[in-house]
Amino acid sequence: MIKTISIAILATSPVAAAAQFVPTLDSAPRVCPDRPPRPDWIVNADVREAHKMNLVQEMYRAQSLQAVVEAGECSCETRFPSWDDASAYYFEHYSGLSRHEILDRTSEYRRTANELRQEAMPICESQGNW
């Protein structure tokens, strides 16, 4: 009886209700839902390699925001290009770096992307892609 009551309380608690509204990784993004997926080698990377995946993602973010600023437009193709350039650049220049060096580069790309965001955001907002 106590077990049944506990389950009923948990099922109707605010926490359980809130969990129903948490978006999942499978849900389509609101802006540019047809954006290219992250490469399999990033998605399936070992958790011990997360620092490398973070670097590639920050590289991609900085490159795409730079493209928006340079083009002065924010089409989905410009804002969310193929991952090929970021992946190739990572393998060519960064794949052999130490964890510490990768973390440094990640910080640099994050700063660059955050600076570019200031310029790219108004362009994308005016075109409904932010």
Side-chain angles (χ1 to χ4, degrees):
M1 174 75 171
I2 293 177
K3 192 177 201 179
T4 305
I5 293 171
S6 298
I7 293 171
I9 290 171
L10 286 174
T12 59
S13 74
V15 172
Q20 296 174 14
F21 297 104
V22 174
T24 65
L25 295 176
D26 295 333
S27 60
R30 183 181 57 78
V31 173
C32 300
D34 293 331
R35 61 182 75 171
R38 291 180 299 161
D40 287 340
W41 70 270
I42 292 176
V43 173
N44 298 321
D46 187 277
V47 70
R48 292 172 291 197
E49 304 293 312
H51 59 288
K52 296 176 182 178
M53 304 316 107
N54 289 337
L55 172 58
V56 178
Q57 291 178 82
E58 288 299 330
M59 290 170 57
Y60 177 83
R61 183 171 163 248
Q63 290 173 357
S64 64
L65 292 172
Q66 179 71 42
V68 167
V69 170
E70 288 176 358
E73 64 90 17
C74 190
S75 65
C76 291
E77 294 78 25
T78 302
R79 181 152 183 227
F80 298 104
S82 165
W83 283 81
D84 293 346
D85 289 345
S87 293
Y89 197 87
Y90 167 79
F91 283 114
E92 187 175 328
H93 294 95
Y94 301 134
S95 63
L97 296 181
S98 71
R99 179 172 166 53
H100 181 72
E101 291 169 316
I102 286 177
L103 293 174
D104 285 345
R105 297 304 183 291
T106 302
S107 293
E108 292 168 13
Y109 276 103
R110 184 174 297 117
R111 272 191 299 281
T112 299
N114 287 340
E115 290 170 6
L116 289 165
R117 183 179 189 273
Q118 303 293 321
E119 296 178 65
M121 191 166 102
I123 295 168
C124 292
E125 283 180 332
S126 72
Q127 297 174 10
N129 276 341
W130 194 262

